[in-house]
Amino acid sequence: MSQVTANLMLVKQRLELAALAAKRDPEDIQLLAVSKTFPSIAVEEAMHAGQTAFGENYVQEGVEKIQQLTKLRPWLEWHFIGPMQSNKTRDVAEHFDWVHSIDRLKIAERLSSQRGEFSDLSPLQVCIQVNVSEEGSKSGLPLEEVESLCDAIAKLPNLILRGLMAIPAPSNDISQQRRAFAAVRECFTGIKVKHSNDLGYDFFDTLSMGMSDDMEAAIVEGSTMVRIGSAIFGKRDRNKV
Ligand SMILES: *Cc1c(COP(=O)(O)O)cnc(C)c1O
């Protein structure tokens, strides 16, 4: 068995245990394998072990991998999870299935209109990135501004609003991890309840939270998609991260 296959099994076990401890159905939590910095051969290995959804952080690296694996494209789902400059949106609109890292309307508008140019592609599935801990990732929108961006995105034609994503500041303290995730979940639930009958919110069902070091806390707080890199593919080359 390859290392990636063995790691995947361990991560799935962690996911299952965390779900059961939180009295949740493990099936309600998707596993996104974050393959950034790892070559396409690693993605193939994971695919042979049954993994189909992959996350990439850098546009050019992601597009190269998607193109190298073009024969497998029908079986794979590609998620863009990194920061995005507006001159890179076209590549994302053309090649990816999901985007987790939208934090301003201008990017969403560009993605929507560019996605529309590819008539064979279904709409892009998108999450808004929330900034819950200022000392953590610089990207993301403050909680107070999330709802109005959701409303604007819900009206765009070639995007489907799926939910929220967050990367809290790293912490070894599980209660601190949980507080950050809980804040995102409360924001998500508030919006979901308020807009349950509104056009454009039919698929608002995704909380993209939890990485290798905090997936358990994220699952207790309601994550529906964990984004796991190093626990599956191994330590990343520091020069590349
Ligand atoms: C790198 C990355 C991950 C995976 O991180 P690990 O700690 O390796 O699991 C998840 N989400 C985003 C946005 C990332 O950039």
Side-chain angles (χ1 to χ4, degrees):
M1 193 192 303
S2 79
Q3 191 63 53
V4 166
T5 306
N7 289 346
L8 253 178
M9 288 177 63
L10 286 173
V11 166
K12 284 184 193 163
Q13 253 171 30
R14 276 177 66 188
L15 188 157
E16 226 171 274
L17 284 174
L20 295 176
K23 302 199 163 42
R24 298 185 57 198
D25 184 346
E27 301 276 319
D28 293 341
I29 303 150
Q30 278 191 64
L31 174 59
L32 181 66
V34 177
S35 44
K36 67 179 177 202
T37 80
F38 291 95
S40 50
I41 181 85
V43 172
E44 274 191 82
E45 259 180 76
M47 187 194 153
H48 288 299
Q51 180 65 26
T52 53
F54 294 89
E56 288 287 338
N57 261 61
Y58 310 99
V59 178
Q60 194 179 332
E61 181 195 338
V63 169
E64 277 169 23
K65 246 174 262 184
I66 292 169
Q67 286 171 337
Q68 283 161 6
L69 296 169
T70 185
K71 281 204 187 108
L72 302 174
R73 189 67 183 91
W75 294 278
L76 299 179
E77 190 178 271
W78 289 99
H79 296 233
F80 187 74
I81 60 175
M84 203 183 335
Q85 287 160 336
S86 51
N87 61 353
K88 294 290 170 60
T89 52
R90 178 173 297 278
D91 280 335
V92 173
E94 180 174 358
H95 295 284
F96 284 85
D97 301 296
W98 281 67
V99 177
H100 292 223
S101 43
I102 291 188
D103 61 1
R104 52 196 197 277
L105 184 57
K106 183 182 166 204
I107 293 282
E109 286 173 339
R110 288 177 66 94
L111 286 171
S112 176
S113 85
Q114 290 164 343
R115 186 70 163 192
E117 294 169 23
F118 302 98
S119 53
D120 54 326
L121 296 180
S122 51
L124 195 56
Q125 315 288 312
V126 303
C127 292
I128 290 174
Q129 183 172 351
V130 185
N131 188 347
V132 263
S133 21
E134 270 119 44
E135 70 279 25
S137 164
K138 297 255 181 333
S139 347
L141 208 59
L143 284 166
E144 316 81 68
E145 297 172 29
V146 170
E147 189 178 352
S148 64
L149 183 57
C150 281
D151 273 344
I153 290 180
K155 297 187 179 81
L156 294 176
N158 304 305
L159 304 184
I160 301 218
L161 178 66
R162 294 303 299 266
L164 307 183
M165 182 273 246
I167 314 172
S171 162
N172 294 322
D173 175 3
I174 188 147
S175 59
Q176 195 173 328
Q177 293 174 358
R178 283 187 58 174
R179 265 198 302 280
F181 290 131
V184 186
R185 190 231 316 131
E186 282 161 20
C187 175
F188 170 79
T189 310
I191 293 171
K192 191 171 169 61
V193 168
K194 186 167 162 195
H195 295 278
S196 59
N197 294 317
D198 292 353
L199 217 59
Y201 283 87
D202 316 34
F203 301 97
F204 193 73
D205 61 0
T206 302
L207 259 179
S208 166
M209 318 193 289
M211 319 205 301
S212 296
D213 292 332
D214 57 14
M215 68 180 274
E216 281 81 5
I219 288 172
V220 188
E221 297 300 345
S223 170
T224 68
M225 197 183 295
V226 290
R227 308 177 310 271
I228 308 298
S230 45
I232 295 173
F233 295 107
K235 254 196 150 86
R236 281 182 294 277
D237 183 341
R238 277 193 153 275
N239 299 318
K240 286 196 198 158
V241 180

